[in-house]
Amino acid sequence: MPLPFADKTRFIHLLEEDPDRKACVFLRPWRFGKTLFTDMLLSYYDRAMRESFDETFRGTSVHGHRTPLAGSLCCVRLDFSQVSGCTEQAKSSFIRELAGALRDFTERYPELGLPCSALKTELYEEPAGLMKEFVANFRSRSPGKERLFVIIDGYDHFANSILARNAGASKETSSAAECPPGFIRQFYAFLKEAFGGVRGRPISRIFISGVSSVSLDSLISGFNIAANISNDPRFNAMAGLTREELSEIIDETVDFSELNGLTKEKILQVMESRCGGYAFSFQACERIFNPDMCLSFLKDLTSAKAMPESLLTESAGADPVRLEAILRLAAPDAREEITGRIQKREEITADPPVALSISQRGFLNYSQAVSLLMYYGYLTIAPQNERGSNKVMYRCPNEACYQVFNRYAESRSGRKEIRRTDL
C-alpha cells in the first residue's frame, strides 16, 4: 500500500526566497520522506522537465504560484544511498554512484553532459576529479547562462553503515586511518569552489539531505558555506507528516464502514501515541508523524479491519537492533544514564544537536550520544521549560520508541535477546 501524497511544495518558496539557503543541509531520520522531497526538487527545477510541470504539480500549492527559478536550472541529482559502508570500497563505490548520476544528466542534456568515454570510473582516483571534469565540460559547453543545481540525497548513508559496523568492535582500537573522510572533504571542497552562480562558478544552488550528523564535520570543513536548516522551526514539517496531512491520508485510504465504529479521531489519537511526537526544534509549532510508522499502521488497520494490536513497526523509528548498535558507541556511563532516564520516562537535558566525526576516537560522550539518537529518530526535542538556556531537553517521541528502549534494557539484563524476528 503506497503512502498517498502529502503536498510539501509550499517549502519551495521558503528555500528559494532567502539567499542564505542557496546551499543547505537537511537531516531527518530514515524513511521520513527526504528522497521524495529531493525527487520533487528535481522535477520542479530541472529545465529538461519543464514541459511536464503542469502534469506533475497539478493540485499542489505551488502549481499556480511558480517561483522565479522554476524549470530554469540544469539539475544533477546524486544519490549516495548505495555507496558501500566498507571502508576499503567506499571511495570506488562513491565514484561509481557519482558516474551513474552524471550519466543520467548526460541523457537529459547530451549537449552539456560528459561523453560516455569520460565517464569511465577507472579514469579517476578521486570523486573530486570526476566532478571537476564534469564541471569543466559543462562550463565549456554551456552558453554562459546555464546554471547547475546539485541535489544530494543520502550524503551520509555509507558513513552510517560504517558507524553501525564499527559498533561491534572496540572503540578504543578505532583509528582515523580506518575511515575515509579525506575524499569526502575534497569532494565538497570542490563543490564550494564551483558554487556561486557567476561566470566560472556554474553551480548556483545545492541541497544536501541525510539522516544524521555523522560525517557532517567532513562536509562542513570543506563546504562551510552550507546552512544547516535541520533544526530551523520553519522547516520542521518539510519531511514527515503533520496531523492535517495524516488526516487527509486517512480519508483517502480507510473505509470506516468496515471498522466497527472506529472514528477518525480515535485513529488519529492512537497514531499520535504510536507514530507521532517528533519535533526537530524547540520552537516547532507542531509535532510530526513518522511516515513509515504511519504506513505500517494503516496497512495493519485496513488489513485486520480493527485497531492494530502490535505496538512495534518495522520502521527506522522502531528498530531495537539499530538502537543497540548506536548505544554501543556511547560511553558506558552515558549509555546507562540515557536508558535509565528513558525507562523512567524522564526528559534528558543535553547540548543542542552536534556534528559528529566518522573518524572520532573513543566512545561518544553523553551529549553526542543523545544527539545521534535524535537524528536517528529514537529521541526528539521536547518543549523547553528554560528559555535562554544553552541546553536542550529531549524525550522519546512515542510509545513505539519507548518500547524499543525497554527491549534494549531487557536484552542488557539478560531477560531477552534482541533479534530481527522480534521486529
Side-chain angles (χ1 to χ4, degrees), residues 4 42 71 82 96 132 141 146 149 165 188 205 223-224 228 245 258 261 285 298 334 341 412:
L42 174 66
Q82 299 303 312
R96 282 197 304 272
K132 287 178 183 178
R141 291 190 177 199
E146 303 291 354
F149 184 2
R165 184 169 59 84
Y188 287 105
R205 301 189 76 83
F223 191 64
N224 56 10
N228 187 349
E245 290 167 341
E258 299 180 340
C285 297
L298 290 175
R341 286 188 175 277
R412 293 280 293 174

Side-chain angles (χ1 to χ4, degrees), residues 4-182:
F5 175 73
D7 184 8
K8 300 294 184 179
T9 61
R10 66 188 185 277
F11 292 100
I12 288 176
H13 287 272
L14 278 177
L15 288 170
E16 194 170 316
E17 66 188 13
D18 189 340
D20 291 336
R21 290 194 285 269
K22 288 184 178 180
C24 56
V25 176
F26 182 64
L27 306 177
R28 284 296 181 269
W30 265 303
R31 305 185 74 174
F32 238 75
K34 302 181 299 298
T35 297
L36 185 60
F37 189 83
T38 57
D39 286 342
M40 182 187 72
L41 292 178
L42 174 66
S43 298
Y44 183 82
Y45 284 105
D46 194 53
R47 181 167 60 80
M49 301 184 184
R50 192 162 45 193
E51 297 303 316
S52 61
F53 182 93
D54 285 337
E55 179 182 354
T56 303
F57 290 96
R58 185 177 291 113
T60 67
S61 63
V62 82
H63 182 257
H65 306 87
R66 301 189 196 190
T67 60
L69 294 179
S72 69
L73 303 174
C74 299
C75 295
V76 180
R77 186 183 183 280
L78 309 177
D79 183 355
F80 292 142
S81 64
Q82 299 303 312
V83 173
S84 174
C86 173
T87 53
E88 295 81 9
Q89 300 175 12
K91 185 195 292 186
S92 60
S93 178
F94 194 102
I95 294 174
R96 282 197 304 272
E97 296 302 321
L98 176 58
L102 298 182
R103 194 172 294 112
D104 175 70
F105 180 90
T106 299
E107 290 177 0
R108 282 180 285 125
Y109 298 100
E111 76 283 5
L112 298 174
L114 278 174
C116 291
S117 59
L119 285 170
K120 295 179 180 178
T121 57
E122 61 268 21
L123 297 175
Y124 306 96
E125 294 185 3
E126 301 289 337
L130 174 53
M131 198 67 188
K132 287 178 183 178
E133 185 72 15
F134 167 76
V135 169
N137 179 77
F138 179 89
R139 189 185 296 145
S140 66
R141 291 190 177 199
S142 68
K145 295 182 179 179
E146 303 291 354
R147 293 291 176 258
L148 289 166
F149 184 2
V150 178
I151 303 167
I152 301 176
D153 187 31
Y155 94 97
D156 60 337
H157 181 85
F158 76 97
N160 288 315
S161 297
I162 292 172
L163 187 74
R165 184 169 59 84
N166 286 348
S170 170
K171 290 297 294 182
E172 288 91 339
T173 63
S174 66
S175 165
E178 298 172 353
C179 300

Side-chain angles (χ1 to χ4, degrees), residues 81-342:
S81 64
Q82 299 303 312
V83 173
S84 174
C86 173
T87 53
E88 295 81 9
Q89 300 175 12
K91 185 195 292 186
S92 60
S93 178
F94 194 102
I95 294 174
R96 282 197 304 272
E97 296 302 321
L98 176 58
L102 298 182
R103 194 172 294 112
D104 175 70
F105 180 90
T106 299
E107 290 177 0
R108 282 180 285 125
Y109 298 100
E111 76 283 5
L112 298 174
L114 278 174
C116 291
S117 59
L119 285 170
K120 295 179 180 178
T121 57
E122 61 268 21
L123 297 175
Y124 306 96
E125 294 185 3
E126 301 289 337
L130 174 53
M131 198 67 188
K132 287 178 183 178
E133 185 72 15
F134 167 76
V135 169
N137 179 77
F138 179 89
R139 189 185 296 145
S140 66
R141 291 190 177 199
S142 68
K145 295 182 179 179
E146 303 291 354
R147 293 291 176 258
L148 289 166
F149 184 2
V150 178
I151 303 167
I152 301 176
D153 187 31
Y155 94 97
D156 60 337
H157 181 85
F158 76 97
N160 288 315
S161 297
I162 292 172
L163 187 74
R165 184 169 59 84
N166 286 348
S170 170
K171 290 297 294 182
E172 288 91 339
T173 63
S174 66
S175 165
E178 298 172 353
C179 300
F183 76 83
I184 307 170
R185 189 176 293 115
Q186 292 172 15
F187 177 79
Y188 287 105
F190 174 72
L191 289 188
K192 176 184 176 181
E193 181 183 322
F195 172 76
V198 297
R199 186 172 180 81
R201 294 189 174 190
I203 300 177
S204 63
R205 301 189 76 83
I206 300 174
F207 185 89
I208 301 171
S209 74
V211 172
S212 77
S213 58
V214 175
S215 81
L216 191 61
D217 65 325
S218 293
L219 185 155
I220 290 175
S221 61
F223 191 64
N224 56 10
I225 56 172
N228 187 349
I229 63 172
S230 307
N231 305 121
D232 187 324
R234 291 169 292 184
F235 298 98
N236 186 59
M238 195 161 77
L241 297 173
T242 64
R243 199 175 198 275
E244 181 180 355
E245 290 167 341
L246 180 56
S247 176
E248 293 175 358
I249 288 171
I250 291 173
D251 288 338
E252 295 173 16
T253 57
V254 175
D255 183 353
F256 289 95
S257 66
E258 299 180 340
L259 296 184
N260 297 321
L262 277 179
T263 65
K264 182 169 74 171
E265 186 57 34
K266 177 61 176 177
I267 292 171
L268 280 168
Q269 288 177 0
V270 174
M271 293 186 75
E272 196 160 19
S273 171
R274 298 187 187 185
C275 317
Y278 294 90
F280 303 94
S281 167
F282 69 85
Q283 298 172 315
C285 297
E286 59 186 327
R287 298 270 144 181
I288 304 302
F289 290 79
N290 180 315
D292 196 48
M293 286 182 172
C294 291
L295 174 59
S296 179
F297 182 96
L298 290 175
K299 284 174 64 177
D300 291 346
L301 176 71
T302 55
S303 175
K305 297 180 174 54
M307 199 70 78
E309 295 181 4
S310 175
L311 186 61
L312 279 179
T313 59
E314 295 183 12
S315 68
D319 187 336
V321 175
R322 187 175 289 122
L323 174 65
E324 184 177 36
I326 295 171
L327 286 172
R328 275 191 289 174
L329 298 172
D333 57 341
R335 183 190 313 149
E336 297 304 319
E337 176 73 12
I338 291 168
T339 55
R341 286 188 175 277
I342 293 301

Side-chain angles (χ1 to χ4, degrees), residues 340-358:
R341 286 188 175 277
I342 293 301
Q343 282 192 291
K344 296 176 184 176
R345 295 183 177 250
E346 297 176 349
E347 293 181 340
I348 295 171
T349 302
D351 292 333
V354 296
L356 302 174
S357 172
I358 191 174

